[in-house]
């Protein structure tokens, strides 16, 4: 009987986890599950976890502490609850999670999600604690049920105007600070035909904007309908022709794979939005080499010049790490200088966090937290001023906004500019899912305010 059991999914980490969470809950639908946002009524609770920094990984354990109580109360009412840890902590720690958190019934790594229904069933019927972190398996997407077979779409993103679509998984770059190559495995690109099909399915659900995802999305090289490997630029052009799709984005890119044809797509493909997230991590070449980033600061500057000449209004975003082992004050100043010279519309910055099993964690000269915090503060001050300046520069312009959701205040709707800024305006609910010109009347640190010009 469909719809009698409930699944609750909580997602941590990157957009790829958001996408995986949707696919996981969809995969349970044929087995009678519907998604719930009330954790107490869930028969299956999934924590889709992130291992990228220590803080991210620790969140899982504090969440599990909370779940113990919920599971106990449900048991007293005669109800069984399968508590599942998925995602990158599952992959990295495997059976250790069962030892550390007795409340957990099932540990499932990102390469095993197509086995989720079976594992949930076994955990329920056999009352066993199970671990499945088999690795690597590259074709989970083809083994997950077709997205069309669902009887009821889960709430949330599936009805939204904007959706994620994972086109590439894994990473072969092995930056010395990063766990992703260990938790997500080798690079794998999904075939073009599958992606076009899935894009069509998303559009039939009302999606107007698709963000193509990959840990190294611009290294995409999936097999095309002609049997050859297609680049991300070629995939973007093919998706650009899909009827009903209005906007395309992609994330996250590595500077090394920012090819000329992809840069040209920013000039030529009208549906590709003028926004690029391109992490540079550090401004000093010695640190970049120790990070195994495979590019210098000068390479990055040259790349940005090229991208800006192809698409002058492009909004740039980046990731930066401060306090990598051995980073001197002078080297940190080089990071600030690079930020100053380039000017970012948006940025994410982090204190270096040593991760088990990565080469950088074993390096000498680990820096004290106080130095990392102080550098992060200076960097974030600069980045915030750049974001504000960029937002302010939009005041007075008329910008097309894709409206996606209702705002917190009555009569308010919220959407995104081409540059990914949230834009708040007063407007009718039936504008959701449409791209409407908005005159920007105000700017805050992280969003814009505007007046709808025409419907
Ligand atoms: N694939 C992407 C990003 C992956 S993780 C890329 O290549 O850029 C997202 C960001 O987390 C990274 O860009 C990096 O800035 C940050 N990060 C990764 N590992 C980290 C660590 N050990 N400590 C601090 N920040 C880290
Ligand atoms: Fe991690 Fe580097 Fe791969 Fe990005 S490119 S996922 S930072 S190893
Ligand atoms: Fe975190 Fe895994 Fe994504 S470590 S950032 S959830 S790939």
């Amino acid at each position: 009987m469909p719809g009698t059991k409930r699944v609750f999914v909580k997602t941590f980490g990157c957009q790829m986890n958001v996408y995986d969470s949707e696919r996981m809950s969809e995969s349970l639908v044929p087995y009678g599950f519907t998604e719930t946002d009330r954790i107490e009524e869930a028969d299956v609770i999934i924590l889709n976890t992130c291992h990228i920094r220590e803080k991210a990984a620790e969140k899982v354990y504090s969440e599990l502490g909370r779940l113990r109580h919920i599971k106990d109360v449900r048991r007293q009412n005669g109800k069984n609850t399968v508590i599942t840890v998925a995602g990158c902590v599952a992959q990295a720690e495997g059976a250790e999670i069962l030892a550390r958190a007795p409340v957990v019934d099932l540990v499932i790594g990102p390469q095993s999600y197509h086995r989720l229904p079976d594992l949930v069933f076994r955990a329920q019927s056999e009352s066993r604690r199970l671990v499945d972190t088999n690795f690597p398996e590259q074709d989970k997407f083809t083994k997950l049920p077709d997205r069309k077979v669902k009887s009821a779409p889960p709430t949330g993103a599936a009805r939204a105007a904007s959706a994620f679509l994972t086109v590439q998984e894994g990473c072969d770059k092995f930056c010395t600070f990063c766990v992703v190559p260990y938790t997500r495995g080798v690079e794998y690109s999904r075939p073009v035909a599958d992606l076009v099909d899935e894009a069509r399915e998303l559009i039939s659900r009302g999606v107007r904007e698709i963000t193509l995802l990959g840990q190294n999305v611009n290294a995409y090289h999936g097999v095309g309908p002609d049997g050859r490997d297609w680049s991300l630029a070629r995939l973007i052009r093919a998706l650009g022709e899909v009827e009903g799709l209005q906007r395309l984005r992609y994330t996250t890119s590595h500077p090394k794979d920012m090819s000329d044809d992809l840069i040209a797509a920013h000039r030529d493909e009208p549906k590709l939005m003028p926004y690029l997230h391109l992490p540079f991590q550090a401004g000093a070449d010695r640190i970049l080499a120790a990070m195994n980033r495979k590019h210098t600061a000068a390479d990055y500057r040259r790349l940005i010049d090229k991208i800006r000449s192809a698409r002058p209004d492009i909004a740039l975003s980046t990731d930066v790490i401060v306090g990598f082992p051995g980073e001197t004050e002078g080297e940190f100043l080089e990071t600030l200088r690079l930020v100053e010279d380039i000017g970012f519309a948006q940025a994410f910055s982090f204190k270096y966090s040593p991760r088990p099993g990565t080469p950088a964690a074993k390096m000498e000269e680990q820096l004290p937290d106080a130095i990392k915090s102080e550098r992060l503060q200076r960097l974030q001050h600069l980045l915030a001023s750049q974001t504000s300046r960029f937002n302010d520069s939009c005041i007075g312009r008329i910008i097309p906004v894709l409206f996606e959701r209702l705002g917190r205040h009555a009569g308010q709707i919220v959407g995104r500019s081409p540059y990914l800024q949230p834009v708040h305006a007063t407007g009718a609910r039936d504008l959701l899912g449409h791209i409407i010109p908005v005159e920007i009347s105000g700017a805050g640190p992280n969003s814009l305010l505007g007046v709808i010009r025409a419907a």
Side-chain angles (χ1 to χ4, degrees):
M1 252 229 317
T4 53
K5 288 175 279 180
R6 301 273 184 270
V7 54
F8 175 94
V9 189
K10 180 158 182 173
T11 308
F12 303 84
C14 63
Q15 294 104 323
M16 307 210 36
N17 267 9
V18 175
Y19 177 83
D20 285 347
S21 290
E22 270 176 44
R23 296 295 302 261
M24 277 193 275
S25 60
E26 282 180 19
S27 78
L28 292 172
V29 169
Y31 302 91
F33 281 86
T34 48
E35 204 177 326
T36 178
D37 51 13
R38 294 180 44 205
I39 196 164
E40 324 73 53
E41 65 175 29
D43 304 284
V44 174
I45 296 173
I46 302 174
L47 302 183
N48 194 7
T49 63
C50 175
H51 202 243
I52 201 84
R53 285 168 291 274
E54 193 179 351
K55 259 197 200 147
E58 281 309 316
K59 273 189 202 151
V60 181
Y61 289 100
S62 60
E63 190 69 24
L64 286 170
R66 211 165 66 87
L67 294 188
R68 205 172 49 201
H69 176 66
I70 292 173
K71 192 175 182 177
D72 284 347
V73 171
R74 282 178 53 88
R75 187 182 293 126
Q76 282 154 20
N77 295 324
K79 289 179 190 148
N80 186 16
T81 316
V82 176
I83 299 203
T84 304
V85 176
C88 292
V89 175
Q91 190 61 47
E93 298 187 3
E96 274 175 54
I97 298 172
L98 295 186
R100 192 168 155 191
V103 70
V104 174
D105 301 287
L106 179 58
V107 175
I108 181 167
Q111 305 303 319
S112 307
Y113 293 159
H114 52 288
R115 288 192 285 270
L116 178 70
D118 181 48
L119 290 163
V120 163
F121 177 76
R122 282 174 52 203
Q124 275 174 335
S125 60
E126 300 166 21
S127 297
R128 273 176 53 196
R129 304 176 79 205
L130 302 164
V131 178
D132 186 342
T133 51
N134 288 341
F135 192 72
E137 175 144 9
Q138 301 181 340
D139 56 354
K140 71 170 174 193
F141 295 114
T142 51
K143 291 187 181 169
L144 277 165
D146 190 312
R147 301 197 77 176
K148 286 182 209 122
V149 303
K150 307 175 291 83
S151 52
T155 51
R159 285 193 194 283
S162 184
F164 293 133
L165 173 53
T166 294
V167 304
Q168 180 277 330
E169 278 229 285
C171 179
D172 296 342
K173 297 276 190 305
F174 289 93
C175 301
T176 54
F177 52 80
C178 183
V179 291
V180 170
Y182 310 95
T183 61
R184 295 282 175 159
V186 294
E187 242 173 64
Y188 168 72
S189 299
R190 298 177 63 193
V192 173
D194 292 5
L195 297 171
V196 171
D197 279 356
E198 197 170 324
R200 289 210 173 97
E201 167 61 19
L202 291 169
I203 292 161
S204 77
R205 296 182 192 179
V207 165
R208 295 292 165 258
E209 172 183 272
I210 293 181
T211 302
L212 309 177
L213 299 180
Q215 270 95 13
N216 246 299
V217 73
N218 58 344
Y220 176 85
H221 55 89
V223 61
D226 55 2
R228 298 192 169 180
D229 277 4
W230 282 28
S231 65
L232 182 66
R234 213 160 160 203
L235 174 67
I236 286 171
R237 285 198 291 272
L239 290 172
E241 282 165 23
V242 173
E243 180 84 24
L245 184 62
Q246 295 178 314
R247 287 180 165 189
L248 275 164
R249 305 178 182 277
Y250 61 91
T251 199
T252 293
S253 297
H254 191 288
K256 196 81 195 147
D257 296 314
M258 207 60 219
S259 61
D260 287 345
D261 70 335
L262 186 53
I263 295 173
H266 278 284
R267 185 189 57 218
D268 303 331
E269 177 47 64
K271 292 180 184 173
L272 184 57
M273 291 294 99
Y275 180 91
L276 175 64
H277 181 65
L278 194 63
F280 73 84
Q281 314 296 0
D285 289 345
R286 192 185 71 92
I287 297 295
L288 286 168
M291 287 176 162
N292 190 30
R293 283 293 290 183
K294 305 175 170 75
H295 60 82
T296 63
D299 293 336
Y300 190 83
R301 286 171 197 269
R302 268 193 300 273
L303 196 53
I304 296 298
D305 285 346
K306 244 185 180 174
I307 295 163
R308 280 185 164 148
S309 26
R311 182 76 205 222
D313 74 328
I314 200 159
L316 295 169
S317 160
T318 199
D319 290 341
V320 192
I321 295 176
V322 300
F324 186 81
E327 184 189 69
T328 63
E329 170 67 16
E331 286 166 335
F332 170 65
L333 291 176
E334 289 185 61
T335 294
L336 290 185
R337 199 166 314 127
L338 191 58
V339 170
E340 259 159 22
D341 292 350
I342 288 183
F344 291 96
Q346 174 71 267
F348 304 88
S349 48
F350 313 99
K351 288 194 267 187
Y352 167 71
S353 169
R355 306 307 294 131
T358 59
K362 292 179 214 97
M363 289 177 186
E364 286 167 18
E365 296 188 89
Q366 299 286 332
L367 298 187
D369 188 62
I371 292 188
K372 294 186 209 174
S373 297
E374 191 266 338
R375 287 181 189 167
L376 185 67
Q377 213 181 359
R378 279 193 278 164
L379 173 64
Q380 290 188 335
H381 184 74
L382 174 62
L383 290 168
S385 73
Q386 293 192 338
T387 302
S388 281
R389 197 177 323 142
F390 177 70
N391 289 346
D392 288 347
S393 74
C394 295
I395 294 176
R397 285 181 60 188
I398 294 177
I399 287 179
V401 174
L402 172 58
F403 284 102
E404 294 172 358
R405 60 183 172 89
L406 297 175
R408 241 180 286 155
H409 306 294
Q412 191 188 50
I413 51 177
V414 189
R416 295 269 181 182
S417 75
Y419 314 107
L420 209 59
Q421 300 137 298
V423 183
H424 299 253
T426 300
R429 185 192 194 106
D430 59 8
L431 297 181
L432 298 185
H434 295 275
I435 296 175
I436 318 272
V438 172
E439 185 171 338
I440 303 305
S441 54
N446 295 307
S447 65
L448 303 175
L449 204 63
V451 179
I452 287 173
R453 275 301 163 218

